Amino acid sequence: MSSEIQQQSPLVGLQAGEGRPLQHRAAGRVLLNEQPLVGLANLRLDPGSDAVRDALRAGLGLELPLAPNTVSRGRDAMALWLGPDEWLLRALPDGPVDLAARVESALAGHWFAVTDQTSGYSVVQLHGPGTRDVLNAGCPLDLHPGVLKRGQCAQSHFFKASVLLRPLDEQGDGWELIVRRSFADATVRLLMDAMQ
């Protein structure tokens, strides 16, 4: 008997086959893709500390965004602004899953708090000309690309599930949603219903 623990997507019940990430297309207008097991970490620190920001820049090649609802991209990860002293770090494709450990190493000796969130959230992306219509079925934000642009992010909800939204392109046809694991299945089912 093996005692090895394997992480599994909360969307495993919706996946097309063993080990294949969820992908759902509706009438050629919207494609939903699961981004399985993306490295995520919640980071809290004093943004006024030059030493902490320098250490993070040296260790991860990442400059924290200080303006509300903005995103910055570094060498291996991006940082999404959540509050004046809080960010969600998201690994880039093929980036490290162990973001929390990388931050701990980079910021050793400084005051900060980092928590691994990799298994606590699901990441899905939607692409296509009908994407904003799908999101607007359950999200109250104005998602027009003139209002919420690439390089920004916003915390909101899709129906009753809290989500972190990030536009992926300038036209507003590509979006990423980061949703708590416990709401992921229901949220994706609602997205799929809205795609019909």
Side-chain angles (χ1 to χ4, degrees), residues 83-154:
D85 66 352
E86 183 178 12
W87 297 264
L88 182 68
L89 304 183
R90 185 217 189 276
L92 296 178
D94 300 323
V97 175
D98 61 340
L99 279 176
R102 302 267 310 269
V103 170
E104 285 178 2
S105 176
L107 297 181
H110 298 282
W111 289 96
F112 69 97
V114 65
T115 309
D116 183 18
Q117 299 292 316
T118 302
S119 62
Y121 286 84
S122 285
V123 180
V124 294
Q125 293 183 351
L126 293 112
H127 298 276
T131 298
R132 279 189 291 139
D133 293 335
V134 168
L135 292 174
N136 281 327
C139 180
L141 293 181
D142 184 349
L143 302 177
H144 189 277
V147 176
L148 190 56
K149 303 175 175 110
R150 187 173 183 199
Q152 295 181 306
C153 61

